[in-house]
Amino acid sequence: MIGHDASRPLLDKIDAREAALTCEAEQTRVRIDEVIDRSADRDSRVTRPWHTAVPGCGLMGFDMTDQNTTAGWRQVNVACDDWRSAERWASPSMMIKAEGAGAITGNADRLRDDLADYIKSWGMFRTPQVEAAFRTVPRHLFLPGVALDVAYGRKPVVTRRAADGTSVSSASSPKLVAAMLEQLAVEPGQRVLEIGAATGINAALLAELVGPTGGVVTIELDDDLAAGAAESLEAAGYPQVEVVCGDGALGVPNRAPYDRIIVTAEAWDLVPAWWDQLTVGGRLVVPLRLHGSGLTRAIAFDLHQPDHMISTSAVVCGFVPMRGLAEHAEQHVRLADDVVLKVDVDDLPDDTALARTLTHPGQEHWPGIHVRHDEPAEHLDLWLVTTAAHRFGRLSVGQQARTTGLANPAMRWGGAALYDGGTLTYIVTCDIDDDTLELGIVAHGPDSVKLAGHTTDLLHRWDRERPSRPVITACRTDTNPGANTAETRIVRPHTAVTVTW
């Protein structure tokens, strides 16, 4: 593991660039959506269910129904004969070459250690248990038809695509998986529920962490994905993992309570089943969308009381959203052919006024705020959501718009922007040197001077305080209606969420 030496700043800078590229991947997904939208000749408002995927960013999600019934789910006892569909798996040309079982095993062992070494070099392993699990689980057995170097690569591996080519299931980024497992802090002998089996890789890692005295239950919405995960777990030597086909929003109540629950799809709300099935003192790790624009954090919540959770950590991430009855429409406002502003529908944006925003010349402002690549500044966008008096949005900008200078927001914070009526400001950066960025803003619209001044004041305040760690509190509202107070920043059907710094 690389310690605090001369290499660390460079690695931190690369990590920041990698985070920016993750945001760019999501922006690519939005641009695909735009092409579909334009072909349908839609107007400036685009409403889309959240099952539309973020390419390569996560696993499957599930719909939400009555958590008190077990109807609709069943245990997978045998794998379906036809579960490897042509849509899911790579072409025969991607198959592992017949090198002999010994050669394949040897190469897999080497590649597995290389991947673990890479994750360790970033400081993502905080415990020897998680590192050991990564060095043990044979990922390639969960990704049949995928070349060894891809199976043990650093990027997500898409295992199923929708008809339009977007990803609907994948093996997540190994670094993100490691980070979330460290957040979960599994101990030997514990019982763990995973929402979203997908390939089964994560369930195998969990099985390594709980050991022979613990138990892992994983639930998957799609029959063939559940059957495939069960077959791969059996083949890889983890027959003890129980795979259930059903709705993850229901959990698996007949195996509850659980010491740990981990969700591997983006959630809009903390559904009742997760509250009910987690033991008091237990931990839930969930990628929770904290703003309708798509701002998401993988949050580790400790359940202190049956209706009260407090976070211990939050990690920037992107995941495929949950599907089904729990799908939540997202709204995009097109500002130009290659520019979309993602907003929260509850903010009641003026689409017509926003659509004219970029017709006003952009005004740059550089308030002299510097940020080093190795500084913990990743939550600036969340701080703006919880602090700014004006509405928050995220700009998704194509390469043409960036090249022509129409709009070039900072990818590090996902195109973070504030708007008021038909006026918009967004964060930009420029390199001061190899280690440092300068923060600036660009303003468009009839009231650009006023909004630019407000945004500049906010950035100066952020610069003075440098808040780096949000404390996120979740209160269950269906059993505690009083949790929805005037101080609550984020309200969902079953949860009221407060973010403090």
Side-chain angles (χ1 to χ4, degrees):
M1 176 176 177
I2 297 178
H4 297 286
D5 58 20
S7 301
R8 186 69 252 175
L10 176 60
L11 290 177
D12 289 323
K13 179 179 179 181
I14 297 172
D15 204 19
R17 297 299 192 194
E18 186 170 293
L21 291 174
T22 299
C23 296
E24 190 172 45
E26 182 176 355
Q27 293 167 354
T28 300
R29 184 267 294 179
V30 175
R31 293 197 293 274
I32 292 171
D33 289 348
E34 293 168 24
V35 174
I36 297 170
D37 295 336
R38 288 196 294 271
S39 67
D41 194 27
R42 296 185 180 180
D43 62 13
S44 63
R45 173 173 292 187
V46 182
T47 302
R48 182 177 312 285
W50 279 20
H51 68 266
T52 305
V54 178
C57 288
L59 306 179
M60 297 299 293
F62 308 93
D63 61 288
M64 179 183 68
T65 54
D66 181 6
Q67 76 281 5
N68 295 319
T69 178
T70 57
W73 65 266
R74 58 197 178 279
Q75 182 173 350
V76 176
N77 294 313
V78 295
C80 303
D81 292 336
D82 61 346
W83 64 279
R84 289 190 184 94
S85 65
E87 181 185 34
R88 176 178 181 186
W89 301 108
S91 64
S93 63
M94 292 288 291
M95 298 293 285
I96 301 171
K97 295 180 180 179
E99 302 174 81
I104 291 176
T105 301
N107 288 339
D109 291 344
R110 175 180 55 81
L111 291 170
R112 186 161 55 251
D113 277 337
D114 288 346
L115 177 59
D117 289 343
Y118 165 74
I119 297 171
K120 186 174 183 178
S121 73
W122 290 99
M124 303 304 292
F125 292 138
R126 300 201 308 270
T127 62
Q129 292 83 0
V130 172
E131 180 180 348
F134 268 82
R135 294 189 186 278
T136 302
V137 172
R139 288 175 59 89
H140 64 288
L141 297 183
F142 296 87
L143 296 167
V146 176
L148 280 176
D149 60 337
V150 176
Y152 288 100
R154 302 171 181 181
K155 299 178 181 179
V157 179
V158 177
T159 55
R160 168 171 291 179
R161 294 187 182 276
D164 64 358
T166 55
S167 165
V168 294
S169 183
S170 70
S172 291
S173 160
K175 276 176 60 180
L176 180 56
V177 171
M180 291 178 66
L181 289 177
E182 292 288 11
Q183 285 183 291
L184 195 61
V186 177
E187 298 179 6
Q190 289 185 328
R191 288 193 55 77
V192 180
L193 172 64
E194 179 192 31
I195 308 296
T199 64
I201 292 174
N202 206 54
L205 292 166
L206 291 167
E208 289 287 340
L209 294 173
V210 301
T213 60
V216 176
V217 180
T218 183
I219 184 167
E220 173 59 55
L221 182 63
D222 294 326
D223 290 349
D224 58 343
L225 288 175
E231 181 174 302
S232 295
L233 285 161
E234 178 79 26
Y238 301 96
Q240 73 275 25
V241 174
E242 183 176 357
V243 183
V244 173
C245 182
D247 184 345
L250 301 178
V252 185
N254 68 335
R255 296 292 185 266
Y258 302 98
D259 303 294
R260 299 286 189 269
I261 298 177
I262 184 168
V263 182
T264 59
E266 182 187 274
W268 173 254
D269 194 8
L270 304 183
V271 296
W274 303 344
W275 291 92
D276 293 337
Q277 295 174 30
L278 183 64
T279 185
V280 173
R283 178 169 292 183
L284 166 70
V285 172
V286 54
L288 185 62
R289 179 170 282 214
L290 296 172
H291 189 264
S293 64
L295 189 150
T296 303
R297 296 293 186 267
I299 306 169
F301 283 113
D302 284 349
L303 184 64
H304 291 270
Q305 300 173 15
D307 59 0
H308 187 78
M309 295 186 189
I310 300 177
S311 69
T312 61
S313 61
V315 174
V316 177
C317 67
F319 274 85
V320 173
M322 296 186 74
R323 297 177 297 149
L325 296 177
E327 291 175 8
H328 188 89
E330 62 181 12
Q331 184 174 334
H332 302 158
V333 180
R334 187 172 296 108
L335 308 186
D337 285 344
D338 211 19
V339 182
V340 164
L341 179 66
K342 297 189 289 182
V343 296
D344 193 319
V345 66
D346 292 337
D347 287 338
L348 303 176
D350 185 339
D351 294 17
T352 302
L354 282 171
R356 296 193 296 265
T357 299
L358 296 185
T359 64
H360 297 267
Q363 304 295 325
E364 291 189 7
H365 301 266
W366 297 94
I369 298 172
H370 294 177
V371 178
R372 290 178 56 85
H373 293 299
D374 57 357
E375 285 187 86
E378 67 271 20
H379 295 300
L380 170 58
D381 52 353
L382 179 58
W383 184 84
L384 288 172
V385 168
T386 60
T387 305
H390 296 289
R391 297 174 179 88
F392 179 87
R394 298 201 307 156
L395 278 173
S396 175
V397 180
Q399 189 57 47
Q400 181 178 355
R402 290 183 181 276
T403 301
T404 61
L406 180 61
N408 191 21
M411 290 188 292
R412 181 172 181 178
W413 295 284
L418 298 177
Y419 67 93
D420 183 22
T423 302
L424 174 78
T425 62
Y426 58 86
I427 296 176
V428 294
T429 60
C430 69
D431 289 325
I432 298 299
D433 53 41
D434 289 343
D435 301 316
T436 308
L437 294 171
E438 181 175 2
L439 290 186
I441 61 171
V442 173
H444 294 264
D447 293 322
S448 60
V449 173
K450 180 179 178 181
L451 187 56
H454 172 74
T455 307
T456 299
D457 289 343
L458 281 172
L459 290 180
H460 278 302
R461 176 181 167 187
W462 176 85
D463 188 36
R464 291 192 303 270
E465 300 175 2
R466 291 293 174 124
S468 60
R469 182 175 177 270
V471 177
I472 305 169
T473 302
C475 295
R476 185 172 178 175
T477 56
D478 56 345
T479 60
N480 182 17
N484 186 3
T485 68
E487 296 180 356
T488 300
R489 299 289 306 194
I490 303 162
V491 179
R492 301 287 185 257
H494 303 288
T495 314
V497 177
T498 304
V499 181
T500 58
W501 301 87

